[in-house]
């Protein structure tokens, strides 16, 4: 998606070799107009697919997911991150390794909000090693619901998550795919 790529080129900041900061329009301050365009693009990509629910993970996925949900006309459920292992019984749970901190944490979704008949589009801001997406897929499958696909804002295609998830047969649509990046030369797209 050219609009997002242009915005990343203009305002994205590469930290080290593997972190892209997009705080000025996506991860801290949010450009809602851009989100609307992204939501419409996801709607176009998943045209013809039956989707009953959007699932994302707190915190950064929520804004994008909410705006996209308006285009799809479905509710958003976000998986909550929890440090306590003392989890009540009426939730689905899985584990995610944080890309930025390296720590493993549990994510939970109430069984009330993921039902066996649901056709779920998973939305997240970044795809790196694929741990967040794997965790979300696992919640959907535990519920007996169907993963229609994933809609990702920024996929760092030089990291293994995208290939791993597509190899599992899950459709992944990324609005910007970063081929390579460095502090010196900035970001190059696929
Ligand atoms: P993964 O689980 O695929 O390794 O990483 C995805 C998650 O880590 C996303 O939910 C996102 O919050 C975070 N993340 C991974 N890479 C980046 C990055 O380069 N920049 C930012 N801002 N977040 C990232």
């Amino acid at each position: 998606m050219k609009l997002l790529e242009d915005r990343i080129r203009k305002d994205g900041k590469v930290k080290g070799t593997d972190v892209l900061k997009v705080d000025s329009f996506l991860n801290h301050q949010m450009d809602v107009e851009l989100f609307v365009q992204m939501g419409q693009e996801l709607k176009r990509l998943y045209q013809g697919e039956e989707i009953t629910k959007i699932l994302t993970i707190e915190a950064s996925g929520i804004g994008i997911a909410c705006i996209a949900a308006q285009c799809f006309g479905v509710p958003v459920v976000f998986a909550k991150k929890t440090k306590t292992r003392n989890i009540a019984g009426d939730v689905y749970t899985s584990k995610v390794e944080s890309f930025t901190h390296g720590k493993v944490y549990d994510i939970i979704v109430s069984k009330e909000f993921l039902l066996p008949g649901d056709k779920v589009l998973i939305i997240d801001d970044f795809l790196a090693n694929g741990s967040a997406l794997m965790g979300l897929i696992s919640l959907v499958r535990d519920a007996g619901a169907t993963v229609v696909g994933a809609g990702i804002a920024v996929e760092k295609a030089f990291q293994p998550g995208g290939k791993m998830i597509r190899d599992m047969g899950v459709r992944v649509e990324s609005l910007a795919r970063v081929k390579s990046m460095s502090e010196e030369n900035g970001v190059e797209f696929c």
Side-chain angles (χ1 to χ4, degrees):
M1 184 184 176
K2 188 170 180 309
L3 191 68
L4 179 60
E5 291 181 0
D6 287 348
R7 190 60 180 275
I8 293 169
R9 274 195 201 94
K10 182 168 155 278
D11 292 329
K13 291 185 173 51
V14 180
K15 298 285 172 202
T17 56
D18 60 1
V19 174
L20 178 60
K21 298 276 278 182
V22 288
D23 282 359
S24 66
F25 61 95
L26 206 150
N27 280 146
H28 195 2
Q29 177 168 258
M30 294 184 280
D31 183 337
V32 175
E33 262 314 307
L34 175 65
F35 285 15
V36 170
Q37 304 285 322
M38 289 161 57
Q40 287 171 351
E41 179 62 5
L42 287 172
K43 175 75 180 149
R44 190 188 66 77
L45 289 164
Y46 280 99
Q47 207 164 17
E49 295 284 354
E50 190 195 353
I51 288 163
T52 63
K53 207 157 274 182
I54 287 177
L55 176 67
T56 187
I57 182 167
E58 66 177 1
S60 308
I62 296 176
I64 303 167
C66 284
I67 303 286
Q70 217 171 11
C71 301
F72 284 88
V74 298
V76 177
V77 177
F78 65 90
K80 298 186 176 198
K81 297 174 177 173
T82 167
K83 285 188 201 110
T84 50
R85 291 195 41 79
N86 182 19
I87 286 163
D90 38 1
V91 295
Y92 297 110
T93 176
S94 79
K95 291 198 180 303
V96 169
E97 181 174 347
S98 155
F99 178 84
T100 32
H101 306 110
K103 288 184 193 136
V104 176
Y105 53 88
D106 292 299
I107 59 171
I108 59 163
V109 164
S110 168
K111 289 184 178 171
E112 229 182 311
F113 304 128
L114 267 187
L115 303 174
D118 273 325
K119 312 247 183 304
V120 181
L121 175 65
I122 299 173
I123 288 187
D124 202 8
D125 58 343
F126 274 87
L127 173 56
N129 292 330
S131 180
L133 198 44
M134 279 293 294
L136 293 168
I137 291 169
S138 152
L139 295 179
V140 176
R141 293 191 168 161
D142 282 355
T146 307
V147 179
V148 177
I152 302 293
V154 187
E155 175 181 347
K156 290 180 290 176
F158 58 90
Q159 289 169 338
K163 183 179 181 327
M164 178 180 76
I165 306 277
R166 289 185 183 97
D167 283 352
M168 289 166 50
V170 174
R171 179 175 175 190
V172 180
E173 298 286 355
S174 301
L175 302 179
R177 297 186 76 229
V178 177
K179 185 162 89 182
S180 62
M181 61 186 206
S182 67
E183 290 186 2
E184 305 75 47
N185 302 319
V187 179
E188 205 187 318
F189 294 96
C190 294

Coordinates of all heavy atoms in Angstrom, one line a residue, residues 18-22 27 57 60 96-97 99-100 124-133 156 181, ligand 1:
D18 N 16.7 -4.1 13.6 CA 15.5 -4.8 13.4 C 14.2 -4.2 14.0 O 13.2 -4.8 14.1 CB 15.6 -6.2 14.0 CG 16.0 -6.2 15.5 OD1 16.1 -5.1 16.1 OD2 16.2 -7.3 16.1
V19 N 14.3 -2.9 14.5 CA 13.1 -2.3 15.0 C 12.8 -1.0 14.2 O 13.7 -0.2 14.0 CB 13.3 -1.9 16.5 CG1 12.1 -1.1 17.0 CG2 13.4 -3.2 17.4
L20 N 11.6 -1.0 13.8 CA 11.1 0.2 13.1 C 10.1 1.0 14.0 O 9.1 0.4 14.5 CB 10.3 -0.3 11.8 CG 9.7 0.8 10.9 CD1 10.7 1.8 10.4 CD2 9.0 0.2 9.8
K21 N 10.4 2.2 14.3 CA 9.6 3.0 15.1 C 8.6 3.8 14.3 O 9.1 4.5 13.4 CB 10.4 3.9 16.0 CG 11.4 3.2 17.0 CD 10.7 2.8 18.3 CE 10.6 4.0 19.2 NZ 10.0 3.5 20.5
V22 N 7.3 3.7 14.6 CA 6.3 4.5 13.8 C 5.4 5.2 14.8 O 4.2 5.2 14.6 CB 5.6 3.6 12.8 CG1 6.4 3.2 11.6 CG2 5.0 2.3 13.5
N27 N 1.9 3.9 16.4 CA 2.1 3.3 17.7 C 1.9 4.1 18.9 O 1.9 3.6 20.1 CB 3.5 2.6 17.8 CG 3.5 1.3 17.0 OD1 4.5 0.9 16.5 ND2 2.4 0.5 17.1
I57 N -4.5 -7.8 19.4 CA -3.9 -7.9 20.7 C -3.6 -6.5 21.2 O -3.2 -5.7 20.4 CB -2.6 -8.8 20.5 CG1 -1.9 -9.1 21.8 CG2 -1.7 -8.3 19.4 CD1 -0.8 -10.2 21.7
S60 N -1.2 -2.0 20.7 CA -1.0 -1.2 19.4 C -2.0 -1.7 18.3 O -2.2 -0.9 17.4 CB 0.4 -1.3 18.9 OG 1.3 -0.9 19.9
V96 N 2.9 -15.8 24.2 CA 3.5 -15.0 23.1 C 4.8 -14.5 23.7 O 4.9 -14.1 24.8 CB 2.6 -13.7 22.8 CG1 3.3 -12.8 21.9 CG2 1.3 -14.2 22.1
E97 N 5.8 -14.6 22.8 CA 7.1 -14.0 23.2 C 7.2 -12.6 22.6 O 7.1 -12.4 21.4 CB 8.3 -14.9 22.6 CG 9.6 -14.3 23.1 CD 10.8 -15.2 22.7 OE1 10.5 -16.4 22.3 OE2 11.9 -14.8 22.7
F99 N 8.5 -9.4 21.0 CA 9.6 -9.2 20.1 C 10.5 -8.1 20.7 O 11.7 -8.2 20.6 CB 9.1 -8.7 18.7 CG 10.2 -8.3 17.8 CD1 10.7 -9.3 17.0 CD2 10.6 -7.0 17.7 CE1 11.8 -9.0 16.1 CE2 11.7 -6.7 16.8 CZ 12.3 -7.7 16.0
T100 N 9.9 -7.1 21.3 CA 10.7 -6.0 21.8 C 11.4 -6.2 23.1 O 12.5 -5.7 23.4 CB 9.9 -4.7 21.8 OG1 8.5 -5.0 22.1 CG2 9.9 -4.0 20.5
D124 N -3.0 -7.0 13.2 CA -2.0 -6.5 14.1 C -1.1 -5.4 13.4 O -1.2 -5.3 12.2 CB -1.1 -7.6 14.6 CG -0.4 -7.3 16.0 OD1 -0.7 -6.2 16.6 OD2 0.5 -8.1 16.4
D125 N -0.4 -4.7 14.2 CA 0.4 -3.6 13.6 C 1.7 -4.1 12.9 O 2.0 -3.7 11.8 CB 0.8 -2.6 14.7 CG 1.6 -3.1 15.9 OD1 1.6 -4.4 16.1 OD2 2.2 -2.3 16.6
F126 N 2.4 -5.1 13.6 CA 3.7 -5.6 13.0 C 3.7 -7.1 12.9 O 3.1 -7.8 13.8 CB 4.9 -5.1 13.9 CG 5.4 -3.8 13.5 CD1 4.8 -2.6 14.1 CD2 6.4 -3.6 12.6 CE1 5.3 -1.4 13.8 CE2 6.9 -2.4 12.3 CZ 6.3 -1.2 12.9
L127 N 4.4 -7.6 12.0 CA 4.7 -9.0 11.9 C 6.2 -9.2 11.8 O 6.8 -8.7 10.9 CB 4.0 -9.7 10.7 CG 4.3 -11.2 10.4 CD1 4.0 -12.1 11.6 CD2 3.5 -11.7 9.2
A128 N 6.8 -9.8 12.8 CA 8.2 -10.0 12.9 C 8.6 -11.5 12.9 O 8.7 -12.1 11.9 CB 8.8 -9.2 14.1
N129 N 8.7 -12.0 14.1 CA 9.0 -13.5 14.2 C 7.7 -14.3 14.2 O 7.8 -15.6 14.1 CB 9.8 -13.8 15.5 CG 11.2 -13.2 15.4 OD1 11.7 -13.1 14.3 ND2 11.7 -12.8 16.5
G130 N 6.6 -13.7 14.3 CA 5.3 -14.4 14.2 C 4.7 -14.9 15.5 O 3.7 -15.6 15.5
S131 N 5.3 -14.6 16.6 CA 4.8 -15.1 17.9 C 3.4 -14.6 18.2 O 2.6 -15.3 18.7 CB 5.8 -14.8 19.0 OG 5.4 -15.4 20.2
A132 N 3.2 -13.3 18.0 CA 1.9 -12.7 18.4 C 0.8 -13.3 17.5 O -0.2 -13.7 18.0 CB 2.0 -11.2 18.2
L133 N 1.1 -13.4 16.2 CA 0.1 -14.0 15.3 C -0.1 -15.4 15.6 O -1.3 -15.9 15.6 CB 0.6 -13.8 13.9 CG -0.4 -13.9 12.7 CD1 -1.7 -13.2 13.0 CD2 0.3 -13.4 11.4
K156 N 7.8 -7.2 8.5 CA 9.3 -7.1 8.2 C 9.6 -8.4 7.6 O 9.8 -9.5 8.3 CB 10.0 -6.9 9.6 CG 9.8 -5.4 10.1 CD 10.6 -5.2 11.4 CE 9.9 -5.9 12.5 NZ 10.7 -5.8 13.8
M181 N 16.2 -2.9 6.1 CA 16.2 -1.6 6.7 C 17.5 -1.4 7.5 O 18.1 -2.4 7.9 CB 15.0 -1.3 7.5 CG 14.8 -2.3 8.7 SD 13.3 -2.0 9.6 CE 13.7 -2.6 11.2
Ligands
LIG1 P1 6.3 -11.0 16.4 O1 5.4 -11.6 17.5 O2 5.8 -11.2 15.0 O3 7.8 -11.3 16.6 O4 6.2 -9.4 16.7 C1 5.0 -8.7 16.5 C2 4.7 -7.9 17.6 O5 5.9 -7.2 18.1 C3 3.8 -6.7 17.2 O6 2.5 -6.9 17.9 C4 4.4 -5.5 17.6 O7 3.8 -4.9 18.7 C5 5.8 -5.8 18.0 N1 6.9 -5.5 17.0 C6 7.7 -6.3 16.3 N2 8.5 -5.7 15.5 C7 8.3 -4.4 15.7 C8 8.9 -3.2 15.1 O8 9.9 -3.2 14.4 N3 8.4 -2.0 15.6 C9 7.4 -1.9 16.4 N4 7.0 -0.7 16.8 N5 6.8 -3.0 17.0 C10 7.3 -4.2 16.6

